[in-house]
Amino acid sequence: MPDTTFDQERKSYRNRDKLTIEHVRSLEKQIQNLLKDKAILQDQLNILKKDRSVDNVNKIICPRCMGNGYRMIWKDAEQKEKIAIDCTYCKNQGEVEITPETVNNQDIVTDTE
């Protein structure tokens, strides 16, 4: 028995519904993937914001005391005993602010004070 016009329309409707359902499922998967990507990017952004905080950007570890806040020097000329002294370069903080003077200071690399 040949299909009537009604049967043909019904089949056409079913095919449109299948395409629509498949299309919606595909879009849902894409949305899930985008949400995962968004979460990953948000985590990376939070890490970058944390790294760029004011404390981290404007300070470096003191090159003279290496962050200890004190330095060891020889007690006498015979170099038999060392003593700890305060680091005056960083004022016992272990960090110095990055300024043009700090960057251009030639004795920043040396350990003489």
Side-chain angles (χ1 to χ4, degrees), residues 15-35:
N15 287 337
R16 275 190 249 142
D17 287 347
K18 285 182 183 176
L19 289 176
T20 304
I21 290 170
E22 290 173 8
H23 186 67
V24 168
R25 287 182 183 153
S26 173
L27 289 174
E28 286 174 343
K29 286 181 182 178
Q30 290 177 2
I31 289 170
Q32 287 174 351
N33 290 337
L34 288 172
L35 289 173

Side-chain angles (χ1 to χ4, degrees), residues 1 20 22 30 35 42-43 50 56 67 79 96 111-112:
M1 187 168 164
T20 304
E22 290 173 8
Q30 290 177 2
L35 289 173
Q42 187 64 48
D43 289 343
K50 184 178 178 183
N56 293 339
Q79 297 184 355
V96 290
D111 196 19
T112 59

Side-chain angles (χ1 to χ4, degrees), residues 26-105:
S26 173
L27 289 174
E28 286 174 343
K29 286 181 182 178
Q30 290 177 2
I31 289 170
Q32 287 174 351
N33 290 337
L34 288 172
L35 289 173
K36 288 177 186 175
D37 291 344
K38 179 186 175 192
I40 291 169
L41 290 172
Q42 187 64 48
D43 289 343
Q44 291 174 350
L45 179 63
N46 291 340
I47 291 170
L48 285 174
K49 284 180 180 179
K50 184 178 178 183
D51 287 346
R52 290 179 176 257
S53 67
V54 174
D55 293 338
N56 293 339
V57 173
N58 294 331
K59 294 182 181 181
I60 59 171
I61 293 174
C62 178
R64 295 198 179 164
C65 67
M66 301 303 170
N68 290 329
Y70 66 91
R71 297 185 313 121
M72 299 299 287
I73 62 167
W74 294 110
K75 184 177 182 178
D76 53 16
E78 296 169 2
Q79 297 184 355
K80 292 182 179 178
E81 185 181 354
K82 283 191 169 188
I83 59 170
I85 62 167
D86 293 338
C87 180
T88 56
Y89 192 75
C90 67
K91 299 181 181 95
N92 297 21
Q93 297 301 306
E95 298 176 325
V96 290
E97 289 190 28
I98 299 173
T99 61
E101 295 82 29
T102 306
V103 173
N104 294 328
N105 194 354

